Every structure is written in C-alpha cells, then in structure tokens.
Amino acid sequence: MALSAITKRNIFRILPFGVIWLVLALMFLWVEHAAIGDQSNSLDTAVQLEPDVLLFALVGITLIGLSVGVIEVLFLNRLFNKKSFFVKILSKFIIYNIFFSLVILVTFPIAASLELDVSIWNQQVWDKYVNFFFSITNLSAMSQIMFSLLMSLLYAEIHDHLGQNVLLNFFTGKYHKPLAETRIFMFADMKASTTIAENLGHIRYFELLRSYYYDLSNAIVNNHGEVYQYIGDEIVISWTLKNGIAKNYCLNCFFDMKADLAKRKETYLKTYGVFPDFKAALHFGEVTTGEIGALKKEIFFTGDVLNTTARMQSLCGTYGVDLLVSKKLINELDVNNAYTIKTIGEPQLRGKNDTIDLVTITLS
C-alpha cells in the first residue's frame, strides 16, 4: 500500500533526528577516546566500548534520536505550537529529561550485561548502574544527550520556519547559483479579509489567520505543494510543472483546501463569528530560482508568471468566481468529467499589455 504524502513528509522530517544523534554520538565517542584513551579501563562507572557494545550504543543512540523525532513531529510540536520559544524549549527539556532517564534505566543494564557477560539481573550489573548514576560519567552522558537534544530542537525549529525542502536546498546548494525552471503557482487570497480584521481586531484576526493556515496545510501537503510565501491573508503555493500536473495535484489542492475549511465551518463561526473563505488563481511559466538576500537568505522566485497569477487572482471578484485558471495550464492537465469548465475569455490584466485566456472550474 502506497504511503500518503503526509506520512512521507513526516518520515523525511523524522529521519534527520536519527542522523543528528548518530553523528554527534560518533563525535563524542571519538573525543572521549582521544581524551582518556586506555585510562578508560580504570573508570568502573563507564561501560567499555568493545565492538559489540559500540554497535549496540550507536544503534541505541540512533533509535533514541528517531524516537525524539517521532515524539517531536507527531506530538510535542503540535502540543506546543502556540507557545513562546522559551516555554516551548523549557517544557520539552523537562519532558525529554524524564524520557531519557527511563531510556538510560533500560539501556545501561543491557550494555553492562553485554560487557560483563552476565545476566541483566546479575547484581554486578545493578551495582555498576548505581555507581554510574552518581558518577561524572553520568553527568557527561547527560550533557551529551542534552546537547544532541538541543541540536535536534534547533533543527526542528529551523525546518518549520524555513519550510518544506528549503533547508535541504540550502545544505545541498541547489539554488546557490540561479536556475531556470518551470513552475506552477497558486495565489489564494482570503475573501473580505479587511472587514474580518476590522471586526475581530488585530490579535483575534492573527489567531484566525494562524488557524486558517494550519487548516489548509494538510491539503497542500497531500497534493505535493510547497508553500512559497505567506503574505498577510494571502498564501502562495508552488509546484514543479511535473509534480503539479501529476494526478491534477495543483487543481485538486484548491478543492481539498476548500473541503477542509468547510469541515471546520461551525468551529470558525463558534470561535471567531466568521468563516474565512478564499479565492485563487492558477498559472504556470518559467521562473528563475535562487538564493537571495544579504541580511536574510531565502529561496526566491522571479518571473512574469508570478505577476500574471497575482493579476488573475484579483479578477476573481470581478467575475464572481472562486477559481481562475489559465487555459495554458488546463491544456497540461488531464481534466475529466469530475470538473465543469466555463470559459471566461481573454481579459486585459492590469499593468500588462498581453491578454490571457482564462477559465473557471467547479466540481461536477
């Protein structure tokens, strides 16, 4: 059975936790070996790193890192999503400290039993654990764990702030030199946002925006979209041409976003007294993509397609429709009987000399 887009995304978010913990564990082990060398034999609180014990330790550390990733991505990140950075980090440190104490309680006796070649229930194993618990070795181990945890949490925060694939693109240098590529863009703008903001006030409106964008996220991920920018109440979503036209992902994304919001209509009305609907436009074309910025780096798209799509979106109100799509993009899609297409014509776009053939689409 094929994995869903959300499951794949979560797996790729979790895997770096295991890599971070494994790399840092190797670094700490090398530093300790270089620092104490053969003197480690005199430290009865430490487990000696024989090959089988070393393998167990590295596998165990990697699994701990992956466990942190699972807990972070699937549970804690959502639980503390609306908390301040300080409260978020402090709360997670307390939770993970309890988690790690339990992990050490389980894994240390296993490693000690392997080293001593005795049963895990042998008194020697538990004497060693008691000595370890009150030793400088334990303090060193906990310091290493806390450092690995800090690096993991910083990675998670940076990943969430930069967005899907952006951190990977920075590391790989994919866009260090500008590249020309063909991409699809969707500009989705909240309806009556000014009136909503005036009625709710700045703080409540911000809370609504946060809920609104969160509720749109599953549809975007499921349809392989990438959030390019949040611009006030407008969200810009992008696909490579290949990904966007596959299974009509770019088009389905719009209708899935609409459906997900509709499911939460009563919640919005009860919480905020309004329901945030939106209108959107879809178009594709060539853009130049690259890293830009002196004080703040980001992946930047530039090209006429962005201006054209923005102008298209502004015409939704004029024609009384929720979605405008360029005929050029429709010709690339495999539109079937599930959709009803209505021709709009070739209106003159504001600030542009050329006209563009537009259609509107609804579900049949």
Side-chain angles (χ1 to χ4, degrees), residues 193-208:
S193 58
T194 302
T195 301
I196 293 173
E198 289 175 350
N199 292 337
L200 292 180
H202 294 301
I203 294 178
R204 290 287 288 162
Y205 179 62
F206 181 85
E207 292 173 349
L208 179 140

Side-chain angles (χ1 to χ4, degrees), residues 163-265:
Q164 301 161 243
N165 301 324
V166 176
L167 187 59
L168 178 62
N169 290 334
F170 274 127
F171 280 132
T172 60
K174 179 179 180 180
Y175 295 122
H176 184 65
K177 292 182 179 180
L179 296 176
E181 55 184 354
T182 303
R183 299 190 72 92
I184 300 170
F185 288 90
M186 179 195 291
F187 280 64
D189 185 50
M190 186 188 295
K191 295 180 181 179
S193 58
T194 302
T195 301
I196 293 173
E198 289 175 350
N199 292 337
L200 292 180
H202 294 301
I203 294 178
R204 290 287 288 162
Y205 179 62
F206 181 85
E207 292 173 349
L208 179 140
L209 274 181
R210 183 156 53 185
S211 299
Y212 169 74
Y213 285 138
Y214 182 83
D215 291 336
L216 295 178
S217 61
N218 278 352
I220 296 170
V221 173
N222 278 330
N223 289 284
H224 301 272
E226 302 172 19
V227 173
Y228 171 46
Q229 286 180 331
Y230 296 105
I231 310 170
D233 55 24
E234 183 175 63
I235 181 172
V236 182
I237 306 162
S238 179
W239 295 261
T240 61
L241 180 61
K242 179 181 177 181
N243 287 343
I245 65 175
K247 299 182 180 179
N248 295 331
Y249 280 133
C250 64
L251 191 58
N252 291 336
C253 184
F254 170 83
F255 293 108
D256 288 350
M257 288 163 63
K258 284 278 189 178
D260 285 350
L261 279 181
K263 292 175 185 175
R264 297 167 176 81
K265 183 172 183 178

Side-chain angles (χ1 to χ4, degrees), residues 272-313:
Y272 302 104
V274 293
F275 174 63
D277 201 359
F278 67 93
K279 54 188 184 296
L282 276 164
H283 185 41
F284 83 97
E286 187 174 276
V287 293
T288 299
T289 311
E291 294 179 21
I292 198 169
L295 300 179
K296 178 181 178 295
K297 295 285 186 181
E298 63 179 67
I299 304 298
F300 187 74
F301 299 121
T302 180
D304 183 66
V305 60
L306 287 103
N307 293 325
T308 300
T309 311
R311 300 293 187 271
M312 287 168 53
Q313 189 275 321

